[in-house]
Amino acid sequence: MIEQPFGEPWQARAFAMVVRLHERGLFSWPDWTAALVSEIAKNPQQDYYASWLSARQSLAVNRGALTPSEIDGSLNRPGFARDPTSWEGWSHVETNE
């Protein structure tokens, strides 16, 4: 039997978003690892991929790619609970070059 790497479709989208933001130059992999470890340490009971989303948000704000109010707006938009990995509010994030 083939083991599926993701338990839910949103987890695969969370993974893909992080890869895409890295490709756009928002962060390096060592920076990503540090952010993810920090998020897991803050809330060890949180779902692993929910920690990915939290780390993504922290890096975006810390790098100046998004403001806290943009993050809050994204979190509060209709349908976020259904799809926390939507690119709405994130698609304009570009490289730091």
Side-chain angles (χ1 to χ4, degrees):
M1 177 171 217
I2 297 174
E3 185 176 329
Q4 298 298 319
F6 304 103
E8 300 288 334
W10 73 268
Q11 295 169 342
R13 289 191 301 274
F15 179 87
M17 285 183 80
V18 167
V19 170
R20 184 66 180 126
L21 291 170
H22 166 74
E23 288 172 346
R24 288 183 174 188
L26 183 62
F27 50 79
S28 68
W29 287 127
D31 291 340
W32 166 253
T33 301
L36 181 58
V37 167
S38 175
E39 291 301 323
I40 291 170
K42 286 183 209 173
N43 189 358
Q45 304 307 319
Q46 180 170 255
D47 177 85
Y48 178 67
Y49 286 102
S51 295
W52 277 55
L53 297 176
S54 297
R56 171 198 67 170
Q57 291 165 218
S58 294
L59 281 169
V61 171
N62 291 339
R63 301 298 164 98
L66 294 173
T67 66
S69 61
E70 288 174 313
I71 297 287
D72 289 343
S74 177
L75 295 175
N76 294 322
R77 76 177 201 294
F80 178 80
R82 247 186 358 266
D83 184 10
T85 58
S86 169
W87 271 101
E88 184 178 327
W90 291 85
S91 60
H92 72 282
V93 175
E94 295 295 334
T95 66
N96 293 330
E97 297 176 351

